[in-house]
Amino acid sequence: MKTDLQLSDDQLRRIRETLTRIRKGLSMMDVRQAEPAHIFHPILPPLEKPNGQ
Amino acid sequence: MDNSLNSVTEQAAALAQSGTTSSELVEKALDQFRSSQHLNAFVALNEKAVRRQAEQSDERRKKGRGLSPVDGIPIAVKDNYWTLDHPTTACSGAVPKIPEGQDATIVRNLREAGAVIFGKTNMHEWAYGATNTGSSIGPTRHPLDPNHITGGSSGGSALAVADGVVGAALGSDTGGSVRIPSAACGIVGYKPSYGRASRYGVLPLSWSLDAPGLLTRDVKDLLLLAPYLLGADPQDPSTFSARRFDPESTARGKKVLALTGPYLERRADVEDVIQGARERLGRDFDWNTVQMETMEPYFAAWEAILHSEASSYHQHLLQEKPDGFGDVTIAHLVAGNQLSAVEYLHAQKIRQQFMGILTVLFEKADILALPTLPVTAPGQDEVWQEFDGRRVTTQDSMTWFCWMGNLAGLPSITVPAGLAENGFPVGLMMMAKPGEDEYLLQTALQVQTVLQQSVVSEFA
């Protein structure tokens, strides 16, 4: 992404607040054992294994 | 205003019985469009093209060759859908090259059924905001009081329906953008399950959260239009396993679980309306309440995914046309660019954990219920909303509950629940298991029947 965008103080504040809020929320969960949702299609059921395996 | 023939169902019945013509419906819609232009619902309306479609429909029906029940019915389209007879701008000054002469799949479905594609509606720039105050043509204005917002991002579509220009409009929903303005304006708004409706030709915001949707005056209208919305589309891989709409499907479960807890607060007057609706529905539905743990990490996951995916999609456009974007949109895109791949994947892990929580809830209930919004339609200049100990931006108050349906891909609907003390509408939001769209719509019809609410008719 272009890095020489001229950002206003208000835009910089919004960016800072958005990132702080997101990072605080993400840090509240222990995700060490978690699998990510299927990024492309999050509601597809797990694939059936062949031959009932 | 003449409220006759305002719903799609009423229009379809009148057309079938030769009680009206498509041209009459279109002229009535154009009259209403002109009388309410100050509310700013439309960004483009090609009257010649609209009239031509109506004349063609009337010719077909005269010959007994109507294409479908919706042949001749005007339907407005949000400005992020490709349409062959109107430009597509996403109400932004920064627009990619759009294929000419092409409809989005859902628009094509409706056009092939004979529906009259009635102009493009105002929206929050790139659907990247829920207030509809950030648009290249200015904000939409609430039909009850123009000093209040409609909510967004499908604000023009909600306004066009609530104000009686059309009976139905297409919208899109990434964190509530169909349901938010529908609730704020007192109409019905439906977001299908992720993967059951094609997004081909709908300009993306966040592809794993985006869903197309419909805004109408009545749940019956949704049941009439759902066949043109749901189903597989070879041009949208997320729909490969999508089932067609099954009109024979009937509602069965009656267990409703109302969600409360931290990050699920709402203003007292909104809760009063919801409690009143719950009492009226108590005889037909088994209601229970569950106290959730904080929603804060899941909301953060939704927001991280939204900004990361939007930033990826818009990266080149932001380089090529930085002056075309609004200031707030640029700030969102830059924030998304500063999130790392690890943070994005953590958000996807938390998303999976959230879906596990929902799986447990759906073992106890058929429907999850919340107010659609924690507040009523805010004033145009209100930056903050305060309710039940929370102080959040108006933007965050709009998506306060709705993001859940997008994070988990659930079908979700808002129906009018009543009016708050200040006279503005309050919506009841219901969510069902992924894929259970027919059940959700049938249940919503039962709820609508019990509530006997026609909030729109009280002020339209």
Side-chain angles (χ1 to χ4, degrees), chain B residues 433-454:
Chain B
K433 293 176 193 170
E436 295 199 341
D437 295 65
E438 288 87 347
Y439 165 66
L440 179 69
L441 293 174
Q442 294 285 356
T443 302
L445 181 59
Q446 292 178 7
V447 167
Q448 177 186 264
T449 303
V450 172
L451 294 180
Q452 293 289 311
Q453 283 292 338
S454 181

Side-chain angles (χ1 to χ4, degrees), chain B residues 287-346:
Chain B
W287 281 76
N288 285 291
T289 301
V290 62
Q291 174 84 13
M292 305 289 292
E293 292 185 11
T294 181
M295 290 288 109
E296 190 174 1
Y298 310 112
F299 182 79
W302 169 77
E303 199 175 9
I305 292 166
L306 166 68
H307 294 317
S308 297
E309 293 182 358
S311 186
S312 168
Y313 175 79
H314 284 291
Q315 190 167 26
H316 291 291
L317 205 55
L318 188 58
Q319 289 174 353
E320 292 164 9
K321 302 178 181 176
D323 296 335
F325 289 101
D327 289 349
V328 176
T329 304
I330 289 175
H332 287 152
L333 293 171
V334 173
N337 193 53
Q338 292 184 11
L339 289 165
S340 71
V342 170
E343 287 170 321
Y344 177 74
L345 284 166
H346 279 190

Side-chain angles (χ1 to χ4, degrees), chain A residues 1 21 23-24 37 42-43, chain B residues 194 296 303 343 355 396:
Chain A
M1 184 176 284
R21 181 172 61 200
R23 286 170 176 149
K24 176 174 178 278
I43 67 161
Chain B
Y194 185 89
E296 190 174 1
E303 199 175 9
E343 287 170 321
M355 290 158 66
D396 286 345

Side-chain angles (χ1 to χ4, degrees), chain B residues 122-140:
Chain B
N122 192 355
M123 59 183 282
H124 203 113
E125 179 184 31
W126 275 103
Y128 211 166
T131 60
N132 233 98
T133 54
S135 162
S136 60
I137 63 162
T140 46

Side-chain angles (χ1 to χ4, degrees), chain B residues 38-156:
Chain B
H38 63 289
L39 299 176
N40 211 17
F42 285 85
V43 59
L45 179 50
N46 181 340
E47 295 192 21
K48 191 175 169 186
V50 167
R51 286 195 171 101
R52 187 173 61 245
Q53 292 173 75
E55 288 161 8
Q56 290 169 346
S57 172
D58 289 336
E59 282 300 310
R60 287 192 295 270
R61 284 193 183 266
K62 263 188 210 166
K63 294 174 184 168
R65 293 179 188 165
L67 295 171
S68 78
V70 302
D71 194 342
I73 293 178
I75 295 177
V77 177
K78 187 176 180 178
D79 195 33
N80 57 350
Y81 284 69
W82 298 349
T83 44
L84 61 82
D85 44 13
H86 290 86
T88 301
T89 72
C91 285
S92 175
V95 188
K97 187 169 170 53
I98 306 287
E100 287 185 15
Q102 212 173 324
D103 281 335
T105 295
I106 293 170
V107 175
R108 191 193 65 211
N109 292 346
L110 288 166
R111 199 188 294 275
E112 288 178 353
V116 174
I117 303 305
F118 190 90
K120 304 297 282 290
T121 57
N122 192 355
M123 59 183 282
H124 203 113
E125 179 184 31
W126 275 103
Y128 211 166
T131 60
N132 233 98
T133 54
S135 162
S136 60
I137 63 162
T140 46
R141 298 188 174 279
H142 198 285
L144 263 181
D145 180 346
N147 294 315
H148 285 249
I149 66 172
T150 59
S153 64
S154 310

